């Protein structure tokens, strides 16, 4: 993670597939749900504020949005984040996200479930 001198990815074909490939590369648990999170948080990878920071999940540090050198670095950070917090593999991942209040939005889980990855 660095100061925000990141370059924007912009919207281009294949971003979703690239992000998913990184999620699989880092062996992140519940990859489809995590991909849905990235899609929701970034508005299908179009949100300039987060995409200019390569921040797919809206991660914050000290109330400021984090900035990553690359999308891959952000996904690697998610892996570390997940390993530290998701300690019960028997827990439903949607329940986990709700329990830890990943998002303050009341309908976050409902919206995640509605995202069509096809």
């Amino acid at each position: 993670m660095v100061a925000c001198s990141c370059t924007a990815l912009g919207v281009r074909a294949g971003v979703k597939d690239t992000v998913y490939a990184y999620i699989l590369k880092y062996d992140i648990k519940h990859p489809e749900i995590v991909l849905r999170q990235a899609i929701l948080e970034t508005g299908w990878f179009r949100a300039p504020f987060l995409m200019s920071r390569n921040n797919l999940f809206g991660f914050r540090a000290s109330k400021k949005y984090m900035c990553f050198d690359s999308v891959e670095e952000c996904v690697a950070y998610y892996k570390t984040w997940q390993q530290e917090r998701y300690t019960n593999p028997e827990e439903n991942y949607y329940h986990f996200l709700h329990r830890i209040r990943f998002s303050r939005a009341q309908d976050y889980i409902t919206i995640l479930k509605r995202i069509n990855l096809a």
Side-chain angles (χ1 to χ4, degrees):
M1 187 177 60
V2 297
C4 282
S5 61
C6 308
T7 59
L9 264 183
V11 179
R12 64 180 186 258
V15 174
K16 179 183 82 156
D17 294 336
T18 299
V19 169
Y20 191 63
Y22 288 141
I23 290 169
L24 294 177
K25 174 182 175 181
Y26 286 93
D27 195 30
I28 292 175
K29 305 298 182 211
H30 307 283
E32 292 84 11
I33 297 172
V34 175
L35 179 60
R36 285 183 176 96
Q37 286 185 273
I39 289 168
L40 179 56
E41 295 294 333
T42 63
W44 283 94
F45 309 108
R46 290 187 187 119
F49 184 80
L50 290 177
M51 293 308 293
S52 67
R53 290 160 175 74
N54 293 312
N55 188 339
L56 301 175
F57 305 99
F59 283 122
R60 296 180 190 215
S62 302
K63 298 186 181 182
K64 293 187 178 188
Y65 283 94
M66 296 169 68
C67 184
F68 300 92
D69 279 336
S70 66
V71 167
E72 182 175 5
E73 183 181 339
C74 181
V75 172
Y77 182 87
Y78 190 102
K79 171 67 174 187
T80 301
W81 176 89
Q82 187 184 65
Q83 284 179 316
E84 291 173 359
R85 289 164 182 80
Y86 185 59
T87 57
N88 178 3
E90 300 300 315
E91 183 178 16
N92 176 287
Y93 202 66
Y94 287 118
H95 180 265
F96 161 74
L97 293 172
H98 177 75
R99 181 176 57 77
I100 66 162
R101 298 186 71 192
F102 187 89
S103 172
R104 302 287 188 239
Q106 291 278 25
D107 54 353
Y108 185 75
I109 301 304
T110 302
I111 295 169
L112 278 181
K113 289 179 178 181
R114 289 183 185 157
I115 294 173
N116 183 354
L117 297 178

